[in-house]
Amino acid sequence: MSHQLSRRRFVLGLGAAGAGHLLSRAVAEAAAPDPLLAGRPLVRYPQKTDLILLTSRPPQLETPMTYFDRAITPNEAFFVRYHLFPIPTRVSLDEWRLRVGGHVDRALELSMEDLKTKFRPVALTAVCQCSGNSRGRFSPRVLGGQWGDGAMGNAEWVGARLRDVLEAAGVRQGAVDVTFNGLDAPALPSVPDFVKSLPVARVMDWPDVLIAYRMNGQPLPMLNGFPARLVVPGWYATYWVKNLSDITVTDQPFEKFWMKPAYRIPDNPCGCVEPGTTPARTVPISRMTTRSFIASPASGSRVGAGAPTTLKGIAFDGEYGIRAVEISDDGGRTWRATDLGADLGRYSFREWSARWTPRQRGPHTIMVRAFNSIGESQGLEPLWNPAGYLRNVVEHIDLEVG
Amino acid sequence: MRTLARALLVGAVLLSHAVVAAAADTVTITLPPDHGALPPGPGMEVTQKACQTCHSTDYIAMQPRGGEAQWRAVVTKMIKVFGAPIPDDDARAIVEYLAREYGPSR
């Protein structure tokens, strides 16, 4: 619904240049705040700043768009998404251990000291984005967390390589998957515990998967996974298990609830189906699609005519790195390059900025799109799937010039 | 002089790290209160009771509006998939309540 609205507003703004009454209506709509987020309170949770409340038990908190004018998302502004309640509210490092077991030669019980000293620390900047980021903008709408666009963040993570830890435990012949469990727990025994898995072969071949204990130079906030969380760079946050406590190697495919039927996408190249239909076959969600946002100025702002405005935002993809970010002020007919900020690695947000000088007064729509280094980009029409995942349509802001 | 300043600086950095590490050994947080509140109406109490065992009722409030079919599917999922202990009579009352309070907007 909100998406249809903004789309209509967008089309109006484009087609109506010169048609006075239509323009003024478009202006009224453009000045309104994001209808999806309207009415959602800003709340302050422990170790966090004011974030947009989605749900309180378990906590789900969204980062306001203003934070995405820079590459690194501050810890206190980083989004929060738990599935189960209760969540851990007290963790003592004297008691906390990371257990590594299952189909291994030697089960391990690692203290934080062990994790920090027995394995070489590795630093990596990577985007953590919820599979359902922007789900609230799907049309037709789908059930689930009704996120705006702020279920994402980018941080520098420091931790031990998962591969090194698994090698220390000795993965046995015939291992299939590695499962990850955290300290959150189901309210009733009938609710499936939140456990995720990755294929062993993939993980042993991928040095960038970390067990992270530092985030932007600090211990992780509790709500972002203290004392350690999995970092699966380039893949959706569903795999980044927080408050990590157990790593188990299995000799059978792991297909419990949060791997199947949850967190799956249509088994085809776009991960999409005709809106409103059900996919014939699904696979677990994995790599992120390419996205870009304009964070500044905020959509609905008023800017001066004839004076240059600086547009700023971020772009990211699944694992190849951003090659170019482009903007359009004519509805996508022509695009121009923007300046890219520092390259913090292929898993990171890439800052971009551009100077834009409006030629005439009235409503303007500015679109942004990114290309990754293998040429993947964003479509002008949104793709659809029943779970509301993978959203990566070209985004836009509406500005009032005058 | 330069070396002394360096040494002081290093000392200060080490010290501040130690403080952070010591403080971070045990982390305790207290969550703010639950913001969820269901609109009053017939069926509110039974819904409140049945639907906040596992999560707050803002899980309901944030969903797109929808008719009886949508809400019946939600309640059935909670019972069948997550084992929500809700008797049939209550489930019917809950679906009615949700379809009325969170029904399609006119």
Side-chain angles (χ1 to χ4, degrees):
Chain A
M1 181 64 189
S2 72
H3 178 72
Q4 276 169 352
L5 241 182
S6 74
R7 200 140 205 107
R8 204 180 76 225
R9 173 211 302 168
F10 170 51
V11 171
L12 267 179
L14 279 182
H21 64 290
L22 282 180
L23 273 185
S24 62
R25 190 162 133 210
V27 172
E29 286 184 352
D34 188 336
L36 179 64
L37 303 182
R40 292 201 185 153
L42 281 177
V43 289
R44 189 167 293 193
Y45 272 56
Q47 304 174 300
K48 310 300 283 180
T49 186
D50 287 347
L51 298 176
I52 302 163
L53 178 73
L54 210 59
T55 65
S56 55
R57 299 283 187 281
Q60 302 193 77
L61 312 173
E62 166 161 354
T63 306
M65 187 45 64
T66 46
Y67 286 98
F68 301 115
D69 63 349
R70 69 204 89 156
I72 297 293
T73 315
N75 290 0
E76 57 171 16
F78 218 90
F79 82 100
V80 173
R81 194 286 190 250
Y82 278 95
H83 301 75
L84 304 180
F85 197 77
I87 61 164
T89 52
R90 180 184 177 279
V91 174
S92 161
L93 291 185
D94 293 340
E95 293 149 28
W96 179 84
R97 294 291 179 273
L98 178 59
R99 288 179 292 270
V100 185
H103 203 61
V104 295
D105 292 332
R106 321 160 267 290
L108 307 175
E109 281 218 354
L110 303 172
S111 67
M112 181 52 74
E113 187 66 14
D114 294 335
L115 200 57
K116 285 181 171 170
T117 57
K118 294 190 173 156
F119 305 94
R120 190 160 71 84
V122 175
L124 185 88
T125 303
V127 177
C128 179
Q129 182 192 208
C130 177
S131 309
N133 193 23
S134 314
R135 178 184 287 118
R137 311 205 186 278
F138 269 61
S139 175
R141 300 272 310 254
V142 297
L143 296 178
Q146 300 299 308
W147 298 102
D149 305 313
M152 59 176 187
N154 187 47
E156 189 208 50
W157 311 93
V158 174
R161 293 191 201 281
L162 173 63
R163 189 174 72 178
D164 293 352
V165 171
L166 288 175
E167 271 169 8
V171 173
R172 300 216 323 244
Q173 279 290 320
V176 179
D177 286 330
V178 196
T179 71
F180 306 91
N181 195 3
L183 297 171
D184 52 346
L188 296 181
S190 56
V191 177
D193 197 4
F194 187 74
V195 182
K196 297 294 294 186
S197 73
L198 296 168
V200 159
R202 182 85 172 84
V203 160
M204 297 312 279
D205 211 29
W206 191 7
D208 296 338
V209 179
L210 304 183
I211 301 166
Y213 42 76
R214 287 184 86 75
M215 175 177 179
N216 292 329
Q218 296 289 324
L220 280 62
M222 182 72 89
L223 296 174
N224 295 112
F226 182 83
R229 81 180 300 173
L230 202 66
V231 167
V232 188
W235 285 31
Y236 284 98
T238 181
Y239 295 99
W240 298 43
V241 173
K242 294 183 295 301
N243 316 107
L244 190 61
S245 60
D246 291 273
I247 298 179
T248 308
V249 178
T250 69
D251 59 1
Q252 298 293 322
F254 179 83
E255 293 190 329
K256 295 274 174 65
F257 180 79
W258 298 102
M259 288 300 296
K260 190 179 183 182
Y263 285 108
R264 295 178 78 92
I265 55 172
D267 183 14
N268 59 41
C270 68
C272 65
V273 290
E274 269 305 303
T277 65
T278 308
R281 290 193 332 141
T282 63
V283 290
I285 194 169
S286 57
R287 191 164 72 85
M288 295 190 292
T289 51
T290 303
R291 301 194 78 174
S292 54
F293 291 92
I294 307 171
S296 172
S299 191
S301 303
R302 179 175 286 270
V303 299
T309 293
T310 301
L311 308 171
K312 285 201 305 193
I314 52 92
F316 64 99
D317 77 311
E319 67 174 289
Y320 296 99
I322 291 300
R323 188 188 67 205
V325 177
E326 300 177 341
I327 55 168
S328 172
D329 63 2
D330 59 9
R333 264 184 298 132
T334 61
W335 294 86
R336 52 171 266 229
T338 68
D339 297 321
L340 297 186
D343 182 356
L344 303 180
R346 63 197 172 108
Y347 298 122
S348 170
F349 278 164
R350 189 79 187 259
E351 254 175 56
W352 65 266
S353 65
R355 302 264 278 178
W356 175 74
T357 307
R359 276 177 291 276
Q360 64 207 63
R361 287 167 191 276
H364 288 259
T365 295
I366 306 186
M367 304 160 82
V368 64
R369 72 177 180 192
F371 291 86
N372 73 2
S373 66
I374 62 164
E376 291 172 340
S377 186
Q378 306 177 246
L380 283 170
E381 288 301 325
L383 304 175
W384 194 93
N385 56 64
Y389 296 147
L390 307 173
R391 188 172 176 88
N392 82 325
V393 69
V394 166
E395 305 287 343
H396 66 268
I397 59 166
D398 299 306
L399 295 177
E400 173 60 16
V401 176
Chain B
M1 183 63 197
R2 208 143 108 238
T3 344
L4 178 65
R6 266 267 281 306
L8 279 176
L9 193 69
V10 170
V13 168
L14 284 178
L15 196 71
S16 72
H17 271 262
V19 170
V20 169
D25 269 359
T26 298
V27 175
T28 307
I29 62 168
T30 306
L31 296 178
D34 176 354
H35 275 76
L38 293 172
M44 188 269 248
E45 268 160 38
V46 62
T47 306
Q48 185 93 31
K49 188 165 148 278
C51 304
Q52 61 177 16
T53 320
C54 305
H55 52 68
S56 43
T57 53
D58 40 22
Y59 265 79
I60 299 170
M62 74 168 157
Q63 300 305 328
R65 291 174 156 266
E68 220 172 283
Q70 167 177 315
W71 292 112
R72 190 175 302 114
V74 167
V75 174
T76 304
K77 177 178 174 183
M78 297 307 131
I79 296 169
K80 292 258 161 69
V81 178
F82 298 131
I86 304 174
D88 286 354
D89 283 357
D90 288 358
R92 264 192 298 276
I94 294 168
V95 171
E96 261 176 46
Y97 169 81
L98 294 173
R100 190 174 59 246
E101 296 302 328
Y102 299 97
S105 37
R106 272 145 280 153

